[in-house]
Amino acid sequence: MSGAEQSAAYVRENSFDLLRGWQKAAYEEYFRVAQRDFLLVATPGAGKTTYALTVAARLLALREIAAVTVVTPTEHLKYQWARAATAFGIAIDPSYRNAQGRAGADFQGVAVTYAQVAAHPALHRQRTENRRTLVIFDEVHHAGDALSWGDAIREAFEPARRRLALTGTPFRTDANPIPFVTYVPEAAGVQRSASDFVYGYGPALADGVVRPVIFLAYSGEMHWRTRAGDEITATLGTPMTKDQVAQAWRTALDPAGEWIQRVLEAADRRLTEVRRAMPDAAGLVIAGDHETARAYAALLRRVSGARPVVVLSDDPTASRKISAFASSTDRWMVAVRMVSEGVDVPRLAVGVYATSVSTALFFAQAVGRFVRARRRGETASVFLPSVPVLLGFAAELEAERDHVVRALDRDPEAELAEAERSREMPDFEVLGKSFEALAASATFDRVLYDGGEFGTATEAGSLEEEDYLGLPGLLDPDQVALLLRKRQSRQLTARSAAAVASAPPAPAPASAPAPAAAAPVPLAPAAPAPSPSAPAAPAPPAPAATVSREGLAALRKELNGLVGAWSHRTGQPHGVIHAELRQACGGPAIPQASADQIRDRIARIRQWALSRR
């Protein structure tokens, strides 16, 4: 056996056995196919770095390569890769700058950013030609961020001996193909990426490699003024124009409004609960720009009593702050959206999606900050606004996606400008300062988990909301689903009982069966149904005395239970149903509605059920 073979065998014996099951399978597949380009798709938190460095160590031992170049999206990740490589005996220089020309003799490779390569592709091509090089593309989808970036990556690394591309989200929303990725033609001018090995969120969850993610969605009434001076009030999550959705969303995120304060309070209570089982658990708020990040940090300090760590993209100490936070027991970090992909803190367990970025790519990467499991049973909780596009992303978390490129007639310069804008522009400027946020209330909307929805709309700070915030911090995926079902059933049963207790007495047939204890609130009443064409049944008259606080709460619970049942039947979001009821019956949002107004809505939704609207 040659020296190279002996060295390779040593690497295999000492590194291979430490790999997880999926990493071993991907490792075997890499060396089985022995091809120049290899695309690995693995869910965030699964361990792509360990896998890639194991492959690199063996290629170095076999003398198939003599150097390694790691290309990352952010400066922070360069240092992260370099630290991880030391465990494999690979010296990577994370401080390499284009002005150096040649890398230092003490290093077997360098770590650079995509932007760094794009600034001088000819330099990196020369380095690649001079030594047999393995290029590792971390989050390779960034190579398609702009045409200029993709062209630079192709020019710089076309001569590489081997190229290993890694991503957790192999899809794009534009038409820029990713260099060195194979695309398979499909119908209607679409090309779909072909991955060499895929390890998705579903299998990773089953293997205990990643945490189950519980999404807690918050709606509420938003009030803003347009540039024309018109004042608009709308409920977050209800049907609106694209501009109105953006303005309502941004109103919710306004640091001066009630919505974000309520959500941060809820997230901090959730973090307290999680820390009972995970004492070092931390939370991350992903903000849209520097100004709001600082404002959110001030709110969190008042809520939690501790000063959060603030990480800004232009802060030269950002990498050091992230590393210090990762090894501390501090509760909260606030980061602008641009650094979310560079935040690798395994103890992050609670997140607040407080940015108006609405791409599937960014959402998946943001959620990926919270799913890295350290031991079985850890859960992740992500708070987000009830915006249809985000709720759709949350519901599809386990879906496998490919990078699809469509043949579109676009202006390359316009695409480049759009890519730059999406990376650098603060949320407020994205809207062109075309509105003024006036007020934003918050209501707990629902919980999304494993493709299902749980809970019914209720006021922030209610006992029903607390039911979900108080879920244990250590749960297996099946236990999460079981507990959510139990709590929803208990809440619906309690609402049904409260509605019966508060309703005026009415004659009922002696033989009428009692409802099952765990049955959901019925959409239709037990009385004979009127014809579908009949007008809405009038609500029972209110008693002469003022409705008690308990009676009003019972009416709200009954309406929310009916809305939940109607949502289950129709698939409509709770917020949309509430908005339709308000439009049909008039009156304010449910927290401000009178007893008569709530009764009118109860009667209307029952009529919808009877007429099978």
Side-chain angles (χ1 to χ4, degrees), residues 10-29:
Y10 177 81
V11 169
R12 179 183 173 87
E13 291 171 5
N14 286 270
S15 300
F16 184 79
D17 291 341
L18 300 178
L19 297 179
R20 294 166 173 163
W22 80 264
Q23 293 168 323
K24 292 179 180 179
Y27 179 95
E28 296 283 12
E29 181 65 12

Side-chain angles (χ1 to χ4, degrees), residues 179-262:
F180 312 124
V181 170
T182 301
Y183 290 91
V184 179
E186 293 188 349
V190 173
Q191 297 184 82
R192 188 175 296 273
S193 65
S195 306
D196 295 291
F197 193 91
V198 177
Y199 186 64
Y201 176 79
L205 184 63
D207 292 345
V209 173
V210 296
R211 298 168 178 155
V213 182
I214 305 165
F215 292 97
L216 298 100
Y218 281 73
S219 182
E221 194 167 85
M222 306 297 130
H223 185 48
W224 70 92
R225 181 183 294 114
T226 67
R227 181 161 44 192
D230 299 326
E231 292 192 12
I232 298 177
T233 299
T235 300
L236 200 63
T238 58
M240 289 181 271
T241 67
K242 184 178 180 180
D243 285 345
Q244 288 174 338
V245 169
Q247 291 165 356
W249 188 348
R250 187 59 184 86
T251 299
L253 301 180
D254 179 17
E258 177 192 335
W259 189 92
I260 189 65
Q261 180 172 330
R262 290 284 195 171

Side-chain angles (χ1 to χ4, degrees), residues 561-610:
L562 292 169
V563 167
W566 187 248
S567 174
H568 181 73
R569 175 186 289 190
T570 63
Q572 289 180 294
H574 293 195
V576 172
I577 299 169
H578 277 293
E580 289 186 1
L581 286 170
R582 286 184 62 192
Q583 186 175 10
C585 303
I590 188 171
Q592 292 82 39
S594 68
D596 282 341
Q597 290 167 332
I598 296 175
R599 289 192 185 100
D600 286 343
R601 296 175 199 181
I602 289 172
R604 180 57 60 98
I605 197 170
R606 288 191 188 280
Q607 191 221 359
W608 290 351
L610 291 169

Side-chain angles (χ1 to χ4, degrees), residues 155-179:
E155 178 185 350
F157 300 118
E158 192 279 329
R161 175 67 64 91
R162 293 287 186 102
R163 292 181 290 259
L164 174 56
L166 312 173
T167 184
T169 48
F171 53 90
R172 294 287 304 164
T173 54
D174 53 40
N176 297 333
I178 297 173

Side-chain angles (χ1 to χ4, degrees), residues 315-327:
D315 184 354
T317 66
S319 182
R320 189 162 64 248
K321 283 184 177 180
I322 293 172
S323 298
F325 183 81
S327 59

